[in-house]
Amino acid sequence: MDKQLQRDLTKWLKSQSKLAKRWLMLSIGLGFLSGVLLVGQAALLAHILHQLIIEHTDKYELVDSFIGLILIVGLRAGCSWGREIFGYRCGEQIRLHIRQLILNRLHNLGPAYIKGKPAGTWASLVLEQVEEMQDFFARYIPQMSIAVLVPLVILFAVFPLNWAAGLIFLITAPLVPIFMALVGLGAADANRRNFKALQRLSGHFYDRLQGLSTLRLFSRAEAEADNLHAASHILRKRTMEVLRLAFLSSAVLEFFSAISVAIVAVYFGFAFIGELNFGNYGVPLSLFTGLFVLVLAPEFYQPLRDLGTFYHAKAQAIGAAESIVEFLNAEADEMAQGDEELPSPETIHISVRDLEVLSPQGQVLAGPLSFDIQAHEQVALVGPSGAGKTSLLNALLGFLPYRGSLKINGVELKQLDHSEWRQTISWVGQNPLLVHGTVRDNITLGNPLATDDHVTQVAQQAYADEFISRLEKGYDHQVGDRSGGLSVGQAQRIAVARAMLQNGAFWLLDEPTASLDANSEHLVLESLAMAVKEQTTLMVSHRLDQLTAMDRVLVLENGKLVQNGHFDHIRQQGLLADMLAHTDKRDLDA
């Protein structure tokens, strides 16, 4: 990874820590207090041993010192517990914020952008990669301050007693972070590769899991299993690479810390036997001083060793942040929205002038288009696959950016509050999504406050009540994700009932009878005909026999509007005539 990129990502991560400054300061404060108590603990322990060994003081005279030592140990344990709690709260608050940033960005980019990548990739981004930042904020960031503050406290305590020991501490201390940085140079790259492999494996596995039936039918299950095995092997290698660097970093830190403590011990050993006579300011070296410094010696390096232990958390966070920051800063056009209220929401009129529908990357998907949909008018939208019908619907729903003019009741869609605009839309798609929950939950998805009588009424109007009443638990029947447990026709009728319950002034129908058998298609069309009566309607359909009931037909080809008029007026010429001819030919062949 480029060093400048690492610095930028580290800067971004640290800027996020400001959001939990209170928890961060509490964690650092308890760490500093623990360091101060540590000096007191070392002083009491050295005092007790000096009195017992050198002064031969009766142990009962040292009861106060023993009690003080126990209290300090207890206080330090409380500080450690508090640091863990406050550090966790710090990481939790920041993770929630980062996850919200990602979700807000996904919300602004819309479904069209989300479908451009496998669902497993988004799951990895929102879940695993955000979670990997916990230790960076909970431990590494507070430890950076503690690794400076606690050694300074120890130096201030040691230098007045023995300048030689203090000088050894001062000279050897930089060795730990220097070698920590040298070992950790490749850690961020290793973690970045690990997260990339995890994203690929997550997306690959999720997509293959969805298409398992197709893979088995075409005898590709074993081949895809081999591909998953290869992808998992790459992830395993990346993970072991990260662990190897983490263990290497810890070993190096332990080695240099041990050498530094040994130098201090050797100095005091030679000083006690009279071979070294410097460092004690000309006064005799006491057992208290030697014990005090030797007890503090490993503790002097401990904050630096802990920082090294948590250094892999920084590398993990940088590796995770790369994909997150890349996504947050990706150049993609978001669908702009304002906060204006929709005038007269009970009646919808749509005016389109020189409209160009854009992809999130700025490519023109359809347009320029110019047409009107009058209030209470029922309009059909037809055209071959790839003509731009879905892109136009996504623009109307506020899911894709556009250029030109798209006005709803005289107000530009970009200026409207999209959530309010969508409340006026009753939408039925070709692949209805039923969420995990009961049948009632799915019908009341857009109107949770609806009464049971109202739910039953719309279910009867959508011809859904006939099969719901046969279910063991009726409206309390549990429905799995992706309509699990119901047929396509049954799910579609529930979707129609849901749209009826929302009772929008603008009905948007996207192939509402696709994949339905003749009986289900008849029932759905009959219920829709009653529902959309006297409502503004735009219906996408490949069934040309459904066009005779529409007030007007819009025909798209290659993103352009090539025909616009009543079915009887335009059926004899142009693209619609060709489509009708192909339909008639297929019917004759059948």
Side-chain angles (χ1 to χ4, degrees):
M1 183 186 293
D2 180 72
K3 290 183 179 180
Q4 183 59 46
L5 178 58
Q6 283 198 36
R7 286 193 290 269
D8 292 341
L9 293 175
T10 302
K11 184 178 179 181
W12 181 82
L13 286 167
K14 289 182 178 179
S15 68
Q16 304 304 309
S17 65
K18 297 176 182 178
L19 300 168
K21 188 174 182 181
R22 178 167 62 98
W23 297 114
L24 188 61
M25 295 306 295
L26 285 172
S27 179
I28 294 172
L30 287 180
F32 176 73
L33 178 59
S34 180
V36 174
L37 292 172
L38 173 64
V39 174
Q41 177 182 321
L44 279 175
L45 186 60
H47 169 71
I48 291 171
L49 293 175
H50 178 82
Q51 292 297 318
L52 292 174
I53 297 172
I54 303 299
E55 303 297 335
H56 302 290
T57 305
D58 186 82
K59 58 181 176 292
Y60 294 105
E61 297 179 14
L62 299 173
V63 171
D64 291 343
S65 298
F66 279 110
I67 293 174
L69 184 62
I70 293 172
L71 287 175
I72 288 178
V73 170
L75 288 173
R76 288 195 65 210
C79 288
S80 298
W81 175 79
R83 276 188 61 195
E84 288 294 321
I85 295 296
F86 296 143
Y88 177 81
R89 294 300 181 194
C90 173
E92 180 185 44
Q93 187 171 339
I94 297 171
R95 283 187 294 115
L96 288 173
H97 171 73
I98 293 175
R99 190 169 281 126
Q100 191 62 52
L101 288 177
I102 296 173
L103 294 176
N104 288 342
R105 177 72 165 156
L106 286 172
H107 175 75
N108 291 335
L109 290 173
Y113 184 89
I114 295 173
K115 290 180 180 178
K117 290 185 179 181
T121 300
W122 300 121
S124 175
L125 187 72
V126 176
L127 299 176
E128 288 99 336
Q129 293 187 230
V130 175
E131 288 298 321
E132 290 295 338
M133 296 181 175
Q134 170 68 21
D135 281 350
F136 176 80
F137 296 112
R139 302 188 176 199
Y140 181 78
I141 291 291
Q143 193 62 35
M144 287 181 65
S145 300
I146 294 170
V148 174
L149 295 174
V150 173
L152 283 176
V153 170
I154 294 176
L155 285 176
F156 278 120
V158 169
F159 261 109
L161 296 175
N162 191 286
W163 62 263
L167 194 61
I168 293 173
F169 287 161
L170 199 59
I171 293 174
T172 56
L175 293 175
V176 176
I178 287 174
F179 282 94
M180 177 180 69
L182 291 176
V183 173
L185 281 177
D189 275 338
N191 277 281
R192 179 178 59 84
R193 291 191 293 269
N194 187 48
F195 283 123
K196 293 293 185 184
L198 179 61
Q199 277 191 339
R200 285 193 294 270
L201 180 60
S202 297
H204 190 83
F205 177 74
Y206 186 80
D207 288 347
R208 297 311 181 270
L209 194 62
Q210 284 184 305
L212 186 59
S213 299
T214 303
L215 294 174
R216 294 184 66 180
L217 286 171
F218 286 91
S219 301
R220 290 291 301 172
E222 292 185 4
E224 290 300 328
D226 292 337
N227 291 336
L228 283 172
H229 177 75
S232 64
H233 179 67
I234 294 174
L235 177 63
R236 183 166 59 249
K237 288 177 61 179
R238 299 282 186 265
T239 304
M240 294 307 298
E241 184 181 354
V242 173
L243 291 175
R244 184 170 63 250
L245 285 171
F247 286 128
L248 178 61
S249 175
S250 298
V252 169
L253 296 179
E254 292 292 337
F255 175 74
F256 283 100
S257 297
I259 288 180
S260 302
V261 173
I263 292 174
V264 176
V266 168
Y267 162 74
F268 277 107
F270 279 100
F272 278 125
I273 63 176
E275 295 296 327
L276 296 176
N277 296 312
F278 63 88
N280 53 356
Y281 301 104
V283 298
L285 184 64
S286 66
L287 181 63
F288 171 83
T289 301
L291 289 174
F292 178 69
V293 176
L294 284 174
V295 169
L296 288 178
E299 301 296 340
F300 177 82
Y301 299 101
Q302 188 61 45
L304 295 170
R305 291 160 63 188
D306 289 341
L307 183 64
T309 303
F310 301 146
Y311 190 78
H312 75 280
K314 176 187 176 182
Q316 281 183 326
I318 290 177
E322 183 185 23
S323 296
I324 294 174
V325 173
E326 181 181 344
F327 166 68
L328 293 176
N329 296 335
E331 292 187 4
D333 292 333
E334 299 179 5
M335 182 61 195
Q337 65 171 314
D339 54 5
E340 288 193 30
E341 295 184 0
L342 181 66
S344 304
E346 66 279 355
T347 304
I348 298 300
H349 166 264
I350 299 174
S351 177
V352 174
R353 293 291 179 272
D354 299 322
L355 175 71
E356 288 185 330
V357 183
L358 307 176
S359 72
Q361 292 74 31
Q363 299 174 335
V364 178
L365 301 177
L369 303 170
S370 296
F371 60 87
D372 289 293
I373 300 178
Q374 303 298 332
H376 310 300
E377 187 179 22
Q378 297 184 13
V379 177
L381 183 64
V382 299
S385 297
K389 302 185 297 295
T390 301
S391 299
L392 177 58
L393 294 191
N394 280 325
L396 284 169
L397 290 167
F399 292 152
L400 281 176
Y402 66 86
R403 288 195 296 257
S405 176
L406 174 54
K407 292 184 178 181
I408 313 296
N409 289 357
V411 181
E412 196 66 43
L413 181 57
K414 295 178 180 178
Q415 300 171 0
L416 285 175
D417 182 344
H418 286 183
S419 59
E420 183 186 351
W421 159 234
R422 291 174 189 138
Q423 285 296 317
T424 66
I425 300 175
S426 286
W427 178 79
V428 181
Q430 54 183 303
N431 296 309
L433 173 66
L434 301 187
V435 299
H436 185 79
T438 65
V439 171
R440 179 181 286 100
D441 293 335
N442 279 277
I443 294 177
T444 60
L445 190 64
N447 189 2
L449 301 179
T451 64
D452 290 345
D453 291 341
H454 201 179
V455 171
T456 304
Q457 179 184 352
V458 295
Q460 291 173 345
Q461 291 174 349
Y463 298 99
D465 184 69
E466 63 178 31
F467 73 83
I468 295 175
S469 60
R470 294 196 300 269
L471 298 174
E472 183 179 352
K473 295 184 179 180
Y475 287 88
D476 292 324
H477 177 79
Q478 288 290 326
V479 178
D481 293 335
R482 298 186 179 276
S483 310
L486 297 177
S487 69
V488 177
Q490 291 172 336
Q492 193 71 298
R493 278 182 266 176
I494 289 178
V496 173
R498 180 167 59 195
M500 288 179 172
L501 189 63
Q502 186 163 351
N503 195 27
F506 178 49
W507 280 73
L508 197 54
L509 310 175
D510 183 10
E511 298 284 353
T513 60
S515 305
L516 296 184
D517 59 79
N519 182 57
S520 295
E521 179 183 13
H522 173 73
L523 293 176
V524 169
L525 286 176
E526 188 175 340
S527 59
L528 284 175
M530 292 187 298
V532 303
K533 193 175 182 180
E534 301 299 325
Q535 301 288 1
T536 306
T537 305
L538 178 62
M539 181 177 73
V540 176
S541 178
H542 282 103
R543 294 295 304 270
L544 301 182
D545 56 342
Q546 300 173 0
L547 304 183
T548 55
M550 307 304 289
D551 296 325
R552 194 151 45 89
V553 178
L554 303 177
V555 184
L556 292 185
E557 183 180 24
N558 297 324
K560 302 292 192 300
L561 183 62
V562 294
Q563 288 181 282
N564 181 359
H566 191 274
F567 177 73
D568 292 334
H569 297 160
I570 62 174
R571 62 179 301 178
Q572 303 296 334
Q573 57 186 358
L575 178 61
L576 184 59
D578 295 339
M579 295 173 66
L580 288 169
H582 287 302
T583 302
D584 293 339
K585 184 177 184 301
R586 284 198 303 268
D587 292 340
L588 289 173
D589 293 339

